[in-house]
Amino acid sequence: LAGLFGIAIATTAMLALGDALAIGCLDARGFGPADFARSHPGGTLGRKLLTRVREVMRTGTAVPTVAQNVSVMEAVREISLKQMSMTAVVDQEQRLLGIFTDGDLRKLLERVGDVRDLPLARVFNPHPMTIGPDALAAEAARLLDERHRNQLLVVEDGKLLGALHMQDLLAAKVI
């Protein structure tokens, strides 16, 4: 029994020594997390360091959008239809004007009551949180977490390209 115990200790020591040598060689060659991610793109680190917002964002008809001249109720219908808890407010050229969220609706109902005929242009948020399509998805996750939000609009040169929900990041296993 003592002999087996000694072999187990020696084997563990050799494994630790081998790992230490490998880490030392990698460090000496400047091999970092980004290199590891490129070697293992499907792993957790690879997804965090390589996945871009454009790869996981919703696009086209999956993105809830309305014009600013609609009523609050029309915006609520779009929010319900697209199930992102928000709608982007855009002009005819798809330039982003703002956002209207479930939270905005709740606050509005507390303040005003009946919102059925209220113009959206009077109540949407003209300063939405946005991110570019080439940003890392991990950065989008950090922003959402930091600001306690669930969705993020993807914009380039002022134009709405897509939208990203926390669930999209979870599904892509970025977080």
Side-chain angles (χ1 to χ4, degrees), residues 21-36:
L21 283 170
I23 298 286
C25 289
L26 292 174
D27 192 44
R29 291 183 173 192
F31 191 89
D35 300 305
F36 185 85

Side-chain angles (χ1 to χ4, degrees), residues 21-125:
L21 283 170
I23 298 286
C25 289
L26 292 174
D27 192 44
R29 291 183 173 192
F31 191 89
D35 300 305
F36 185 85
R38 278 191 293 280
S39 300
H40 303 283
T44 303
L45 184 60
R47 282 192 297 274
K48 283 185 179 181
L49 294 176
L50 299 176
T51 303
R52 302 283 172 186
V53 166
R54 75 170 60 251
E55 297 169 40
V56 294
M57 70 183 189
R58 299 179 195 194
T59 59
T61 58
V63 179
T65 58
V66 295
Q68 68 175 335
N69 63 345
V70 303
S71 70
V72 168
M73 283 309 296
E74 289 176 74
V76 169
R77 283 187 202 98
E78 182 72 357
I79 289 170
S80 297
L81 179 67
K82 304 293 174 72
Q83 299 179 349
M84 278 195 76
S85 304
M86 67 87 196
T87 186
V89 182
V90 296
D91 66 12
Q92 290 179 338
E93 286 81 38
Q94 288 299 109
R95 285 188 302 255
L96 182 64
L97 302 175
I99 191 169
F100 186 70
T101 68
D102 280 350
D104 296 332
L105 176 62
R106 286 191 301 276
K107 291 173 194 165
L108 190 61
L109 286 169
E110 285 178 6
R111 214 174 60 239
V112 177
D114 187 1
V115 298
R116 286 178 288 191
D117 297 321
L118 190 64
L120 183 66
R122 290 182 34 203
V123 297
F124 74 85
N125 174 357

